[in-house]
């Protein structure tokens, strides 16, 4: 299947590819390019409009960089701080974290204060996003 559209938003492209599209072209593609795409997709080769390919490569590279940076930042934490960070990433409250780790809520708060300071973050939402970017959820 080839998607031929005027919309080249990244989410639209990714949704089409996830749905099984073998090609994604914009309607302004020359007719010869569309025919070539049909032949190539029929032969099992994927095809994307050049502008889309460039954007997806940039997005993938940016996401890989964010993943690497997030993992590096979290590697600076102690094992206990890492466990607290993961729990925050899962959306646990301080009380839930304390119960899981068998420590007091005050201890959890102290860990969070050190984690946020060490990682130069302002709040637990930023910490949760960092855990997500690291691929740990």
């Amino acid at each position: 299947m080839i998607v031929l559209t005027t919309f080249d938003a990244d989410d639209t492209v990714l949704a089409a590819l996830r749905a099984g599209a073998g090609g994604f072209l914009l309607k302004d593609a020359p007719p010869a390019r569309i025919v070539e795409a049909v032949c190539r997709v029929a032969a099992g080769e994927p095809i994307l409009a050049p502008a889309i390919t460039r954007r997806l490569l940039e997005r993938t590279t940016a996401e890989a960089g964010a993943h690497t940076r997030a993992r590096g930042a979290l590697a600076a934490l102690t094992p206990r701080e890492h466990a607290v960070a993961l729990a925050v990433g899962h959306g646990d409250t301080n009380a839930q974290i304390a119960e899981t780790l068998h420590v007091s809520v005050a201890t959890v708060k102290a860990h969070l204060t050190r984690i946020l300071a060490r990682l130069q973050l302002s709040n637990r939402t930023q910490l949760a996003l960092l855990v997500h970017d690291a691929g740990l959820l």
Side-chain angles (χ1 to χ4, degrees):
M1 163 179 53
I2 298 175
V3 174
L4 185 63
T5 183
T6 57
F7 303 106
D8 67 342
D10 291 348
D11 291 339
T12 304
V13 174
L14 293 172
L17 296 174
R18 285 187 184 115
F24 196 100
L25 294 176
L26 301 177
K27 285 187 177 179
D28 64 354
R33 176 83 168 139
I34 295 170
V35 171
E36 174 194 0
V38 169
C39 293
R40 288 179 62 184
V41 169
E45 294 180 46
I47 189 160
L48 296 173
I52 293 169
T53 302
R54 184 173 27 261
R55 273 202 338 267
L56 289 178
L57 287 172
E58 289 169 359
R59 180 176 175 169
T60 302
T61 301
E63 288 173 359
H67 177 80
T68 301
R69 285 188 300 279
R71 287 232 174 207
L74 292 173
L77 301 178
T78 67
R80 181 56 62 125
E81 290 169 342
H82 195 267
V84 170
L86 286 177
V88 168
H90 282 106
D92 293 352
T93 65
N94 289 349
Q96 290 169 321
I97 297 168
E99 184 178 333
T100 300
L101 298 179
H102 307 290
V103 297
S104 70
V105 172
T107 300
V108 172
K109 288 179 182 180
H111 283 307
L112 280 171
T113 299
R114 282 194 304 278
I115 292 167
L116 295 176
R118 182 173 292 155
L119 301 179
Q120 298 178 338
L121 301 173
S122 300
N123 56 54
R124 65 191 297 134
T125 301
Q126 289 178 329
L127 178 57
L129 289 172
L130 186 69
V131 171
H132 177 269
D133 287 347
L136 300 178
L137 296 179

